[in-house]
């Protein structure tokens, strides 16, 4: 694990731990678990009664109960209906002679097996899951039985914890997640044990009246992990003077922003409270000064914003605050951008970096840890649909990009449906107003459907239909007495129905049946958030496609002032679906352009006017030095000299990027790069004119094939008809030497004059 990052979190955690309740809203755990452990005894003669009494306590019980999570209630019912079998299932779970994953799988399988029997006892009620499938409750039972070995578990906690400490994330539904988490927890516990000063204070805390003693420190470990999972990736520093200046400046600007809007500033007091708690600032002072922007950085602002969002969710939904930040601190990005430069300048990676920064509001540098974070964020956002990636090519069409008619096999019959292209799909997703809790409710429904074949639902008019889960995590629709499959209710189309799109003629009842079920059984509240989020479409090699043909009429709609919601908004009627369409303002387009293929000036004029261009030049300074056999190959100087010569011989658009030389540690690595990348690129630049490659790399890389007129005459065929060969007798023919036989001194010769010794 990244101990440095863990240490940063630990410093902040200790500050947070000192806060009293309710400012530290996790300290209830020590109080309620003291009551639970006092009653828990699996050796008790009456285990059924013991289990029931254990969880009848005073205080917060959300470790084992919430709106849609009720494992204790379910288990008590299991004890009533299947007492001996349930006791045996717990005995097997607590059997330490059996591997943990086998025990957990068998235990959860027991609940799956008994669920249909329980449902049959109450046919008038809908009971579709038992709250044990995610292993949260199972881990609780293990922890109660053996608090010196196990820890409290929650999937979202573990996923976010791993993300924040820079480890590989996990996927829901895998039993291996539990064992993985226990292993990480043991490592965190070892880290905590080194802080003897804090542990001494912690011991005093746990020995207060009515507190759980936590002698194994497993509860402390879990609480620290939970703290990390709820923290922002970037740790805030605790310099009170600097932070006070930052908060004052931000709050001053926020007050000014609110005074210019019709928004009721309901969050001012909350903001003050959060800032006081976190920054330990005395807020008796009333701010009356003009808005200031000193000492403010984008990083500072977003750090505070992320903290405010995480503080009991009290700021969640106050998008006026983030709008203020973007407006007053110029945090917005261009809606349409193209990163252009020579091959190997890192354009594609930087599109990922820019996309992540646009969506998350975070800033990243070029360190290895930040590069890993960028890719981790990118993969997560791409999976969730916030980022889409495509590459333009000569065959790319409007039908693939916007919409078109495509054949589809349906039960042996070929039907033609209008399909959304990648751009229309992301625009539709971006402007669909999502419920505050829709994602969670839909995930719960998916989890429920994994354990049953068909789920019976009703339309608003009372007609019965069924749904099942397909391999794409969408809902298959089944109707009629035989429950024949009729089609698919996709997640995207459910969202469209929620947003009021009128296109599901004849199927509205099925969509509404699903939506009503999400409300009644999975606590979907149906309200809509004010924030649509930000979405990014990355178009690699944007200059290689026929832009006019691919974008069609949408080339006008992507302009900022022509987008949805702006004064000059333009709505067009699409040719295939005949539906109205406009481009939302929260969709960003990032393209890349290889200048060796085409210069900016030669790019489609319509595209050039609508995009901002960001140059990605070669950066030789990023490169290191190879030390081998008492010789140093300065890669920075080598690349600089190559590019200087290419600019003279061709132009700067045909230089070579630093990315080709990143991660090179030996002459062997350098040879491979020259053999596989640099030489072929130069041959392409000079159309096979090896002599000009000699002017770039020098004599050490070239050898003459024919140099004497006699050799040339001998090589040519003898012709009695054509004898005018004088024009080639003085010609020199070169070839590139075999790179495998070159030495370190040959690469040094590219940038070093052999007659000049360096200092």
């Amino acid at each position: 694990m990244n101990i440095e990052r863990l240490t940063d979190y630990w410093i902040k955690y200790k500050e947070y731990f000192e806060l009293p309740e309710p400012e530290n809203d996790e300290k209830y755990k020590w109080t309620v678990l003291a009551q639970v452990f006092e009653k828990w005894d699996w050796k008790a003669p009456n285990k059924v009664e013991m289990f029931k009494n254990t969880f009848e306590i005073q205080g917060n019980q959300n470790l084992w109960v919430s709106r849609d999570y009720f494992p204790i209630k379910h288990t008590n019912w299991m004890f009533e209906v299947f007492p001996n079998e349930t006791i045996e299932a717990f005995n097997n779970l607590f059997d330490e002679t059996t591997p943990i994953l086998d025990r957990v799988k068998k235990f959860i399988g027991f609940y799956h097996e008994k669920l249909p029997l329980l449902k049959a006892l109450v046919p008038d009620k809908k009971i579709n899951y038992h709250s044990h499938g995610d292993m949260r409750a199972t881990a609780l039972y293990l922890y109660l039985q053996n608090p010196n070995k196990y820890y409290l578990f929650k999937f979202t906690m573990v996923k976010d914890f791993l993300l924040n400490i820079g480890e590989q994330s996990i996927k829901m539904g895998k039993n291996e997640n539990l064992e993985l988490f226990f292993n990480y927890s043991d490592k965190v516990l070892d880290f905590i044990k080194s802080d003897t000063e804090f542990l001494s204070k912690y011991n005093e805390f746990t020995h207060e009246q009515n507190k759980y003693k936590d002698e194994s420190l497993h509860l402390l470990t879990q609480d620290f992990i939970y703290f990390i999972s709820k923290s922002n990736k970037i740790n805030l520093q605790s310099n009170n003077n600097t932070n006070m200046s930052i908060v004052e400046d931000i709050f001053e600007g926020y007050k000014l922003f609110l005074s210019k809007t019709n928004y009721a500033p309901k969050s001012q007091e909350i903001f003050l409270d959060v800032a006081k708690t976190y920054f330990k600032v005395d807020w008796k002072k009333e701010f009356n000064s003009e808005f200031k922007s000193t000492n403010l950085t984008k990083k500072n602002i977003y750090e505070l914003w992320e903290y405010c969002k995480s503080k009991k969710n009290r700021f969640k939904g106050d998008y006026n605050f983030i709008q203020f930040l973007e407006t007053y601190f110029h945090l917005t990005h261009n809606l349409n951008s193209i990163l252009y430069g020579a091959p190997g300048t890192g354009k594609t990676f930087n599109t990922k970096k820019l996309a992540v920064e646009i969506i998350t509001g975070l800033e990243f540098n070029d360190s290895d840890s930040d590069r890993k974070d960028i890719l981790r964020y990118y993969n997560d956002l791409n999976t969730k649909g916030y980022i889409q990636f495509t590459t333009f090519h000569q065959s790319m069409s409007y039908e693939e990009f916007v919409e078109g008619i495509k054949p589809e096999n349906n039960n042996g019959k070929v039907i033609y449906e209008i399909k959304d292209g990648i751009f229309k799909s992301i625009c539709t997703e971006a402007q669909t107003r999502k419920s505050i809790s829709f994602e969670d409710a839909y995930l719960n429904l998916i989890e429920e459907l994994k354990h049953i074949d068909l789920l019976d639902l009703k339309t608003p008019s009372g007609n019965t239909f069924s749904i099942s889960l397909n391999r794409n995590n969408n809902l298959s629709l089944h109707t009629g007495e035989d429950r024949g499959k009729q089609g698919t209710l996709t997640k995207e189309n459910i969202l469209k129905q929620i947003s009021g799109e009128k296109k599901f003629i004849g199927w509205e009842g099925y969509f509404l049946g699903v939506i009503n079920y999400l409300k009644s059984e999975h606590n979907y509240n149906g309200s809509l958030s004010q924030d649509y989020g930000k979405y990014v479409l990355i178009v690699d090699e944007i200059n290689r496609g026929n832009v006019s043909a691919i974008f069609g009429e949408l080339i006008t709609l992507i302009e900022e002032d022509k987008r949805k919601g702006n004064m000059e908004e333009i709505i067009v009627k699409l040719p295939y679906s005949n539906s109205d369409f406009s481009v939302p303002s929260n969709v960003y387009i990032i393209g890349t352009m290889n200048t060796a293929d085409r210069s900016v000036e030669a790019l489609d004029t319509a595209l050039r006017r609508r995009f901002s261009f960001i140059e990605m030049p070669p950066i030789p300074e990023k490169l290191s030095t190879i030390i081998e056999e008492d010789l140093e190959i300065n890669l920075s100087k080598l690349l600089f000299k190559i590019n200087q010569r290419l600019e003279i011989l061709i132009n700067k658009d045909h230089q070579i990027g630093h990315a080709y030389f990143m991660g090179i540690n030996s002459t062997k690595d350098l040879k491979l790069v020259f053999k596989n990348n640099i030489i072929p690129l130069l041959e392409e630049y000079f159309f096979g004119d090896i002599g000009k490659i000699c002017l770039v790399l020098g004599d050490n890389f070239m050898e003459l094939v024919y140099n004497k007129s006699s050799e040339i005459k001998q090589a040519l065929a003898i012709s009695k008809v054509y004898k005018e060969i004088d024009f080639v007798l003085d010609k020199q023919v070169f070839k590139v030497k075999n790179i495998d036989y070159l030495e370190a001194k040959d690469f040094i010769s590219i940038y070093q004059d052999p007659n000049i010794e360096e200092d």
Side-chain angles (χ1 to χ4, degrees), residues 601-702:
E601 289 73 21
L603 196 62
D604 185 280
T605 305
L607 195 68
R608 276 197 289 129
R609 287 193 293 108
R610 290 170 172 87
F611 280 78
S612 62
F613 284 79
I614 303 169
E615 184 176 8
M616 303 292 297
I619 309 176
E621 295 78 15
K622 285 179 173 284
L623 304 179
S624 58
T625 298
I626 300 173
I627 301 177
E628 224 171 68
E629 300 177 359
D630 299 326
L631 290 175
E632 293 185 2
I633 305 176
N634 190 315
L635 296 179
S636 176
K637 290 182 178 180
L638 182 147
L639 180 60
F640 174 81
K641 184 57 69 174
I642 288 175
N643 282 336
Q644 183 186 50
R645 292 164 179 167
L646 286 173
E647 186 173 3
I648 293 171
L649 293 169
I650 314 176
N651 54 47
K652 74 170 187 174
D653 288 341
H654 287 75
Q655 294 183 333
I656 293 174
H658 53 275
Y660 288 119
F661 298 91
M662 300 290 284
I664 291 180
N665 299 308
S666 65
T667 305
K668 182 180 179 181
D669 294 340
L670 189 58
K671 288 179 182 180
L672 284 175
V673 169
F674 265 77
K675 186 176 183 178
N676 298 330
N677 302 106
I678 307 304
I679 299 300
L681 197 58
L682 293 176
E683 288 176 339
E684 182 183 329
Y685 283 177
F686 293 113
F687 303 100
D689 188 340
I690 306 300
K692 288 183 178 175
I693 297 178
C694 182
L695 295 177
V696 174
L697 300 180
D699 289 344
N700 290 36
F701 284 76
M702 303 295 149

Side-chain angles (χ1 to χ4, degrees), residues 27-216:
K27 281 189 172 178
Y28 77 90
K29 289 185 287 195
W30 281 262
T31 304
V32 300
L33 286 175
Q35 302 174 60
V36 170
F37 273 109
E38 186 177 357
K39 299 177 182 180
W40 178 267
D41 180 13
W42 191 247
K43 295 179 181 180
N46 191 335
K47 293 178 173 58
V48 174
E49 194 64 25
M50 181 278 298
F51 187 93
K52 181 179 179 181
N53 292 336
T54 292
F55 297 97
E56 292 178 351
I57 57 103
Q58 299 294 317
N60 192 330
Q61 301 183 40
N62 72 354
L63 289 175
W64 56 84
V65 66
S66 63
R67 292 182 307 175
D68 55 356
Y69 179 67
F70 45 89
I72 304 305
K73 182 178 179 181
H74 188 98
T75 298
N76 282 328
W77 193 16
M78 295 276 282
F79 275 126
E80 290 177 15
V81 183
F82 319 107
N84 295 330
E85 292 174 88
T86 305
I87 290 172
E88 183 63 22
F90 271 86
N91 285 335
N92 292 332
L93 179 66
F94 297 152
D95 181 7
E96 293 294 334
T97 64
T98 305
I100 178 67
L101 296 185
D102 293 343
R103 286 183 276 148
V104 170
K105 182 178 180 181
K106 186 175 181 179
F107 184 74
I108 296 173
F110 171 69
Y111 277 82
H112 289 338
E113 175 190 334
K114 296 301 182 185
L115 184 62
L117 301 177
L118 291 176
K119 290 171 64 176
L121 297 175
V122 285
D124 295 334
K125 292 185 178 181
K126 289 183 179 179
I127 303 171
N128 297 307
Y129 60 99
H130 51 71
S131 292
H132 287 76
D134 67 353
M135 296 174 291
R136 179 177 170 188
T138 308
L140 171 64
Y141 304 147
L142 288 168
Y143 174 63
L144 293 178
Q145 181 66 7
N146 194 345
N148 296 320
K149 183 174 182 179
Y150 300 112
Y151 303 83
L152 297 174
F153 172 89
K154 188 177 181 182
F155 171 77
T156 53
M157 173 187 73
V158 181
K159 179 175 70 71
D160 293 339
F161 161 72
L162 292 174
L163 183 69
N164 284 348
I165 64 169
E167 297 290 327
Q168 184 68 37
S169 191
I170 57 176
K171 294 183 178 180
M172 180 177 278
K174 295 183 178 293
N175 291 344
E176 294 83 356
N177 293 341
L178 197 62
E179 188 174 41
L180 178 73
F181 170 64
F182 290 157
N183 291 334
Y184 270 104
S185 298
D186 287 339
K187 294 178 183 179
V188 175
L189 174 60
D190 291 339
F191 169 83
I192 290 174
K193 285 180 177 178
S194 64
D195 193 339
T196 55
E197 181 180 351
F198 174 80
L199 292 182
S200 177
K201 296 179 182 178
Y202 178 69
N203 185 57
E204 294 177 8
F205 165 77
T206 59
H207 282 75
E208 292 176 2
Q209 188 176 4
N210 301 324
K211 292 285 195 305
Y212 172 53
K213 301 299 185 292
D214 190 28
E215 294 175 354
S216 67

Side-chain angles (χ1 to χ4, degrees), residues 377-437:
Y377 273 104
Y378 174 85
N379 292 332
D380 183 54
L381 292 168
N382 178 253
T383 300
K384 292 177 178 177
Y386 288 100
I387 299 174
Q388 295 294 331
F389 186 99
T390 189
T391 302
F392 276 7
H393 49 82
Q394 288 86 348
S395 301
M396 188 76 167
S397 66
Y398 179 92
E399 286 72 17
E400 293 174 274
F401 192 63
V402 184
E403 67 170 17
I405 298 176
K406 296 184 180 178
E408 188 174 279
N409 190 310
N410 186 9
N411 296 326
K413 295 181 179 179
V414 177
I415 61 174
Y416 292 87
E417 286 192 17
I418 298 170
K419 296 284 187 179
D420 291 348
I422 186 170
F423 184 59
K424 185 184 176 186
S425 295
I426 197 170
C427 288
T428 302
E429 175 77 9
Q431 62 188 347
T432 301
R433 303 185 71 188
K434 294 181 180 177
S435 162
I436 293 170
S437 59

